[in-house]
Amino acid sequence: MESIAAVLALAGNEVRLKMLFLLLDQQQLCVCDLADVLQMNVSAISQHLRKLKDGGVVQARKVGQTVFYTLTPALRPLVEPLLASVSIPLTASVS
C-alpha cells in the first residue's frame, strides 16, 4: 500500500503523469526529449524528474553526457495498468 500511495502522490501532478506515460511508452528518455515533447524548459523537467527519482518511480542511467530515465522495474507493473487507457496528444515526436 505504501508504494502505491507514493506513486499516486507523485503521479497526481499532470506533468509528472505525462512523463510517466511517455516513459512507459518509449522505455527510456532523456531530459531534452521530455522537454521537447512536453514543450517545457529543461530545468522544469529536471525538477519533476528529481521528484520521481527521489520517490523511486524512475531511475537514471548516464551514457556519456546524457542521462536517460526509465521507470523503475519494480514499479512498472503498478504504473502500467494505471496508464493503460490513457492517451495524450504528443506535441512533438520522440526519436
Side-chain angles (χ1 to χ4, degrees):
M1 287 298 200
E2 192 174 313
S3 62
I4 294 171
V7 170
L8 291 175
L10 288 167
N13 175 282
E14 184 178 355
V15 172
R16 288 192 293 272
L17 185 61
K18 287 178 181 179
M19 292 169 80
L20 292 176
F21 175 83
L22 290 167
L23 288 170
L24 181 63
D25 184 57
Q26 298 293 314
Q27 306 301 314
Q28 70 173 7
L29 292 168
C30 65
V31 175
C32 56
D33 287 339
L34 287 164
D36 287 345
V37 173
L38 298 174
Q39 296 183 334
M40 295 176 64
N41 65 48
V42 170
S43 177
I45 294 294
S46 293
Q47 289 178 12
H48 286 290
L49 284 169
R50 161 76 85 182
K51 289 182 181 186
L52 290 170
K53 187 177 174 196
D54 289 349
V57 180
V58 300
Q59 58 189 24
R61 179 178 59 88
K62 191 170 185 176
V63 178
Q65 296 294 324
T66 306
V67 179
F68 290 95
Y69 290 87
T70 60
L71 291 176
T72 303
L75 293 181
R76 190 175 183 89
L78 175 64
V79 174
E80 283 178 331
L82 292 173
L83 300 175
S85 64
V86 175
S87 65
I88 59 172
L90 301 180
T91 54
S93 61
V94 178
S95 51

